[in-house]
Short mmCIF file of all heavy atoms in Angstrom, two decimals:
data_model
loop_
_atom_site.label_atom_id
_atom_site.label_comp_id
_atom_site.label_asym_id
_atom_site.label_seq_id
_atom_site.Cartn_x
_atom_site.Cartn_y
_atom_site.Cartn_z
N VAL A 1 27.95 24.71 16.38
CA VAL A 1 27.65 23.29 16.65
C VAL A 1 27.90 22.38 15.45
O VAL A 1 27.08 22.63 14.59
CB VAL A 1 26.19 23.26 17.34
CG1 VAL A 1 25.84 21.82 17.67
CG2 VAL A 1 26.05 24.22 18.49
N ARG A 2 28.78 21.56 15.50
CA ARG A 2 29.19 20.73 14.44
C ARG A 2 28.84 19.31 14.63
O ARG A 2 29.04 18.77 15.78
CB ARG A 2 30.56 20.87 13.82
CG ARG A 2 31.05 22.26 13.77
CD ARG A 2 32.52 22.36 13.44
NE ARG A 2 33.00 23.72 13.24
CZ ARG A 2 34.28 23.98 13.17
NH1 ARG A 2 35.19 23.08 13.09
NH2 ARG A 2 34.59 25.31 13.08
N ASP A 3 28.42 18.64 13.64
CA ASP A 3 28.30 17.17 13.69
C ASP A 3 28.64 16.46 12.33
O ASP A 3 28.75 17.14 11.37
CB ASP A 3 26.76 16.74 14.14
CG ASP A 3 25.83 17.11 12.96
OD1 ASP A 3 25.73 16.40 11.94
OD2 ASP A 3 25.23 18.17 13.13
N ASN A 4 28.85 15.28 12.35
CA ASN A 4 29.32 14.54 11.26
C ASN A 4 28.24 13.54 10.84
O ASN A 4 28.56 12.44 10.41
CB ASN A 4 30.63 13.77 11.41
CG ASN A 4 30.67 12.83 12.62
OD1 ASN A 4 29.55 12.71 13.41
ND2 ASN A 4 31.73 12.06 12.85
N GLY A 5 27.00 13.94 10.87
CA GLY A 5 25.90 13.03 10.61
C GLY A 5 25.61 13.06 9.15
O GLY A 5 26.41 13.28 8.24
N VAL A 6 24.30 12.82 8.81
CA VAL A 6 23.87 12.53 7.48
C VAL A 6 23.84 13.86 6.66
O VAL A 6 23.92 13.85 5.43
CB VAL A 6 22.53 11.78 7.41
CG1 VAL A 6 22.66 10.41 7.87
CG2 VAL A 6 21.43 12.62 8.03
N GLY A 7 23.80 15.01 7.30
CA GLY A 7 23.69 16.32 6.62
C GLY A 7 22.29 16.63 6.17
O GLY A 7 21.42 15.77 6.38
N ILE A 8 22.24 17.87 5.62
CA ILE A 8 20.87 18.23 5.14
C ILE A 8 21.04 18.72 3.72
O ILE A 8 21.97 19.36 3.29
CB ILE A 8 20.45 19.49 6.01
CG1 ILE A 8 20.46 19.16 7.43
CG2 ILE A 8 19.09 20.01 5.50
CD1 ILE A 8 20.17 20.39 8.35
N ALA A 9 20.16 18.30 2.79
CA ALA A 9 20.25 18.53 1.48
C ALA A 9 19.79 20.08 1.27
O ALA A 9 19.15 20.66 2.05
CB ALA A 9 19.11 17.68 0.63
N PRO A 10 20.55 20.72 0.15
CA PRO A 10 20.22 22.18 -0.01
C PRO A 10 18.78 22.40 -0.10
O PRO A 10 18.28 23.56 0.21
CB PRO A 10 21.05 22.36 -1.23
CG PRO A 10 22.10 21.42 -1.38
CD PRO A 10 21.53 20.11 -0.66
N ILE A 11 17.99 21.60 -0.62
CA ILE A 11 16.49 21.86 -0.91
C ILE A 11 15.80 22.07 0.44
O ILE A 11 14.73 22.68 0.45
CB ILE A 11 15.92 20.73 -1.71
CG1 ILE A 11 14.54 21.13 -2.21
CG2 ILE A 11 15.78 19.39 -1.01
CD1 ILE A 11 13.89 20.16 -3.23
N HIS A 12 16.33 21.39 1.56
CA HIS A 12 15.63 21.52 2.87
C HIS A 12 16.24 22.59 3.67
O HIS A 12 15.58 22.93 4.74
CB HIS A 12 15.73 20.12 3.62
CG HIS A 12 15.17 18.96 2.83
ND1 HIS A 12 13.76 18.87 2.61
CD2 HIS A 12 15.68 17.83 2.32
CE1 HIS A 12 13.54 17.82 1.92
NE2 HIS A 12 14.61 17.17 1.78
N GLN A 13 17.40 23.15 3.46
CA GLN A 13 18.04 24.13 4.30
C GLN A 13 17.25 25.40 4.51
O GLN A 13 17.43 25.94 5.54
CB GLN A 13 19.49 24.30 3.77
CG GLN A 13 20.43 23.18 3.82
CD GLN A 13 21.80 23.45 3.29
OE1 GLN A 13 22.13 24.64 3.14
NE2 GLN A 13 22.50 22.48 3.03
N GLY A 14 16.54 25.75 3.41
CA GLY A 14 15.68 27.00 3.50
C GLY A 14 14.44 26.80 4.27
O GLY A 14 13.73 27.87 4.71
N ARG A 15 14.02 25.61 4.67
CA ARG A 15 12.82 25.37 5.33
C ARG A 15 12.85 24.76 6.74
O ARG A 15 11.91 24.53 7.40
CB ARG A 15 11.87 24.54 4.44
CG ARG A 15 11.58 24.98 3.15
CD ARG A 15 10.53 24.25 2.42
NE ARG A 15 9.30 24.14 3.27
CZ ARG A 15 8.28 23.28 3.04
NH1 ARG A 15 8.34 22.50 1.99
NH2 ARG A 15 7.14 23.38 3.76
N ILE A 16 14.14 24.50 7.24
CA ILE A 16 14.22 23.85 8.53
C ILE A 16 13.89 24.71 9.64
O ILE A 16 13.62 24.25 10.79
CB ILE A 16 15.72 23.23 8.58
CG1 ILE A 16 16.66 24.40 8.64
CG2 ILE A 16 15.91 22.26 7.75
CD1 ILE A 16 18.06 23.96 8.74
N PHE A 17 13.81 26.00 9.42
CA PHE A 17 13.39 26.87 10.51
C PHE A 17 11.84 27.17 10.47
O PHE A 17 11.47 28.04 11.17
CB PHE A 17 14.12 28.17 10.44
CG PHE A 17 15.70 28.05 10.55
CD1 PHE A 17 16.57 27.98 9.61
CD2 PHE A 17 16.16 27.88 11.87
CE1 PHE A 17 17.87 27.81 9.79
CE2 PHE A 17 17.58 27.77 12.08
CZ PHE A 17 18.41 27.55 11.09
N GLU A 18 11.17 26.52 9.76
CA GLU A 18 9.72 26.72 9.67
C GLU A 18 9.06 25.74 10.73
O GLU A 18 9.68 24.80 11.10
CB GLU A 18 9.08 26.24 8.25
CG GLU A 18 9.59 27.11 7.12
CD GLU A 18 9.02 26.71 5.84
OE1 GLU A 18 8.21 25.77 5.79
OE2 GLU A 18 9.39 27.31 4.78
N GLU A 19 8.00 26.19 11.15
CA GLU A 19 7.26 25.40 12.24
C GLU A 19 6.72 24.01 11.65
O GLU A 19 6.32 23.94 10.52
CB GLU A 19 5.99 26.16 12.74
CG GLU A 19 6.39 27.40 13.32
CD GLU A 19 6.28 28.68 12.39
OE1 GLU A 19 6.37 28.28 11.18
OE2 GLU A 19 6.26 29.77 12.82
N PHE A 20 6.99 23.09 12.52
CA PHE A 20 6.44 21.61 12.23
C PHE A 20 7.13 21.05 10.89
O PHE A 20 6.72 20.00 10.42
CB PHE A 20 4.89 21.53 12.06
CG PHE A 20 4.09 22.04 13.19
CD1 PHE A 20 3.63 23.22 13.13
CD2 PHE A 20 4.09 21.25 14.31
CE1 PHE A 20 2.85 23.63 14.28
CE2 PHE A 20 3.42 21.71 15.43
CZ PHE A 20 2.80 22.93 15.44
N TYR A 21 8.34 21.64 10.54
CA TYR A 21 8.98 21.10 9.32
C TYR A 21 10.18 20.18 9.74
O TYR A 21 11.06 20.58 10.55
CB TYR A 21 9.52 22.15 8.46
CG TYR A 21 10.03 21.61 7.06
CD1 TYR A 21 9.30 21.40 5.98
CD2 TYR A 21 11.41 21.37 6.99
CE1 TYR A 21 9.77 20.94 4.74
CE2 TYR A 21 11.87 20.89 5.73
CZ TYR A 21 11.16 20.63 4.77
OH TYR A 21 11.63 20.16 3.48
N GLN A 22 10.06 18.84 9.40
CA GLN A 22 11.13 17.99 9.84
C GLN A 22 11.54 17.14 8.60
O GLN A 22 10.76 16.70 7.75
CB GLN A 22 10.63 17.02 10.96
CG GLN A 22 10.34 17.59 12.25
CD GLN A 22 9.85 16.65 13.31
OE1 GLN A 22 8.63 16.23 13.20
NE2 GLN A 22 10.63 16.35 14.33
N VAL A 23 12.78 16.98 8.44
CA VAL A 23 13.43 16.44 7.21
C VAL A 23 13.26 15.00 7.21
O VAL A 23 12.81 14.34 6.32
CB VAL A 23 14.82 16.85 6.95
CG1 VAL A 23 15.43 16.13 5.77
CG2 VAL A 23 14.92 18.27 6.89
N ALA A 24 13.61 14.30 8.36
CA ALA A 24 13.69 12.91 8.44
C ALA A 24 12.74 12.40 9.40
O ALA A 24 13.06 11.30 10.19
CB ALA A 24 15.11 12.47 8.73
N ASN A 25 11.46 12.83 9.54
CA ASN A 25 10.53 12.32 10.44
C ASN A 25 9.18 12.26 9.93
O ASN A 25 8.18 12.87 10.35
CB ASN A 25 10.58 13.14 11.75
CG ASN A 25 9.74 12.45 12.97
OD1 ASN A 25 9.40 11.32 12.86
ND2 ASN A 25 9.43 13.23 13.90
N THR A 26 9.06 11.68 8.68
CA THR A 26 7.81 11.65 8.02
C THR A 26 6.75 10.84 8.76
O THR A 26 5.57 11.11 8.54
CB THR A 26 8.04 10.99 6.72
OG1 THR A 26 8.58 9.68 6.85
CG2 THR A 26 8.95 11.89 5.77
N GLU A 27 7.13 9.95 9.65
CA GLU A 27 6.14 9.22 10.41
C GLU A 27 5.68 10.04 11.58
O GLU A 27 4.78 9.42 12.32
CB GLU A 27 6.73 7.85 10.78
CG GLU A 27 8.00 7.89 11.83
CD GLU A 27 9.19 8.11 11.16
OE1 GLU A 27 9.18 8.41 9.90
OE2 GLU A 27 10.26 8.03 11.74
N ARG A 28 6.33 11.18 11.79
CA ARG A 28 5.84 12.04 12.98
C ARG A 28 5.98 11.34 14.27
O ARG A 28 5.01 11.31 15.09
CB ARG A 28 4.39 12.53 12.77
CG ARG A 28 4.12 13.16 11.39
CD ARG A 28 5.08 14.43 11.13
NE ARG A 28 4.83 15.38 12.18
CZ ARG A 28 5.57 16.56 12.23
NH1 ARG A 28 6.54 16.74 11.34
NH2 ARG A 28 5.30 17.50 13.16
N ASP A 29 7.17 10.78 14.59
CA ASP A 29 7.45 10.06 15.86
C ASP A 29 7.65 11.13 16.86
O ASP A 29 8.56 11.98 16.76
CB ASP A 29 8.64 9.16 15.79
CG ASP A 29 8.82 8.47 16.95
OD1 ASP A 29 8.09 8.60 17.89
OD2 ASP A 29 9.94 7.79 17.06
N ARG A 30 6.79 11.27 17.95
CA ARG A 30 6.88 12.38 18.82
C ARG A 30 8.16 12.38 19.63
O ARG A 30 8.50 13.26 20.24
CB ARG A 30 5.62 12.28 19.79
CG ARG A 30 5.50 11.12 20.59
CD ARG A 30 4.31 11.24 21.53
NE ARG A 30 4.10 10.09 22.46
CZ ARG A 30 3.37 8.97 22.18
NH1 ARG A 30 2.71 9.01 20.96
NH2 ARG A 30 3.23 7.97 22.89
N ARG A 31 8.76 11.09 19.73
CA ARG A 31 10.04 11.05 20.47
C ARG A 31 11.17 11.80 19.81
O ARG A 31 12.19 11.97 20.41
CB ARG A 31 10.40 9.57 20.69
CG ARG A 31 9.38 8.79 21.59
CD ARG A 31 9.82 7.37 21.78
NE ARG A 31 8.93 6.62 22.60
CZ ARG A 31 7.84 6.04 22.26
NH1 ARG A 31 7.52 6.12 20.93
NH2 ARG A 31 7.02 5.42 23.06
N ARG A 32 10.98 12.11 18.51
CA ARG A 32 12.00 12.79 17.72
C ARG A 32 11.57 14.21 17.63
O ARG A 32 12.23 14.94 16.72
CB ARG A 32 12.07 12.09 16.34
CG ARG A 32 12.52 10.62 16.45
CD ARG A 32 12.54 9.98 15.06
NE ARG A 32 13.60 10.62 14.17
CZ ARG A 32 13.84 10.18 13.02
NH1 ARG A 32 13.04 9.11 12.47
NH2 ARG A 32 14.80 10.79 12.25
N GLY A 33 10.79 14.80 18.40
CA GLY A 33 10.40 16.12 18.39
C GLY A 33 9.20 16.46 17.52
O GLY A 33 8.54 15.54 16.93
N PHE A 34 8.85 17.70 17.55
CA PHE A 34 7.68 18.15 16.83
C PHE A 34 7.89 19.07 15.66
O PHE A 34 7.02 19.62 15.03
CB PHE A 34 6.66 18.81 17.83
CG PHE A 34 6.21 18.00 18.90
CD1 PHE A 34 6.77 17.94 20.24
CD2 PHE A 34 5.18 17.00 18.76
CE1 PHE A 34 6.42 17.23 21.24
CE2 PHE A 34 4.75 16.17 19.70
CZ PHE A 34 5.36 16.29 20.99
N GLY A 35 9.20 19.43 15.39
CA GLY A 35 9.58 20.32 14.45
C GLY A 35 9.37 21.78 14.82
O GLY A 35 9.39 22.67 13.90
N LEU A 36 9.42 22.07 16.14
CA LEU A 36 9.35 23.51 16.52
C LEU A 36 10.54 24.01 17.20
O LEU A 36 10.65 25.20 17.42
CB LEU A 36 8.14 23.54 17.61
CG LEU A 36 6.68 23.30 17.16
CD1 LEU A 36 5.78 23.19 18.26
CD2 LEU A 36 6.34 24.31 16.05
N GLY A 37 11.52 23.23 17.46
CA GLY A 37 12.61 23.59 18.18
C GLY A 37 13.50 24.70 17.45
O GLY A 37 13.84 25.76 17.91
N LEU A 38 13.83 24.46 16.05
CA LEU A 38 14.54 25.39 15.24
C LEU A 38 13.73 26.66 15.02
O LEU A 38 14.30 27.72 14.94
CB LEU A 38 14.95 24.73 13.95
CG LEU A 38 16.14 23.63 14.03
CD1 LEU A 38 16.44 23.08 12.63
CD2 LEU A 38 17.41 24.31 14.61
N ALA A 39 12.43 26.53 14.83
CA ALA A 39 11.54 27.73 14.70
C ALA A 39 11.71 28.63 15.91
O ALA A 39 11.83 29.85 15.84
CB ALA A 39 10.18 27.32 14.39
N ILE A 40 11.64 28.05 17.09
CA ILE A 40 11.75 28.73 18.33
C ILE A 40 13.12 29.37 18.51
O ILE A 40 13.41 30.67 18.84
CB ILE A 40 11.53 27.89 19.49
CG1 ILE A 40 10.00 27.47 19.46
CG2 ILE A 40 11.82 28.64 20.87
CD1 ILE A 40 9.63 26.52 20.53
N CYS A 41 14.24 28.60 18.07
CA CYS A 41 15.61 29.12 18.11
C CYS A 41 15.76 30.35 17.29
O CYS A 41 16.44 31.27 17.56
CB CYS A 41 16.55 28.02 17.77
SG CYS A 41 16.78 26.76 19.06
#
């Protein structure tokens, strides 16, 4: 699954599969998910 978006910095790539970890949702907008999707996947 490829996209041409903003990308993910190497410092975040090791943690994106953790629960509730979101790179670009510091305001915790629930419309942008809860940070559990990749952990479940």
Side-chain angles (χ1 to χ4, degrees):
V1 179
R2 306 176 185 175
D3 67 75
N4 56 353
V6 295
I8 304 172
I11 192 174
H12 298 298
Q13 293 180 14
R15 300 191 59 190
I16 58 175
F17 295 101
E18 297 178 5
E19 299 88 345
F20 300 105
Y21 187 85
Q22 291 179 292
V23 177
N25 191 14
T26 56
E27 65 277 9
R28 307 301 298 174
D29 184 2
R30 63 176 181 268
R31 294 180 179 85
R32 301 176 64 181
F34 300 98
L36 294 175
L38 288 179
I40 294 175
C41 289

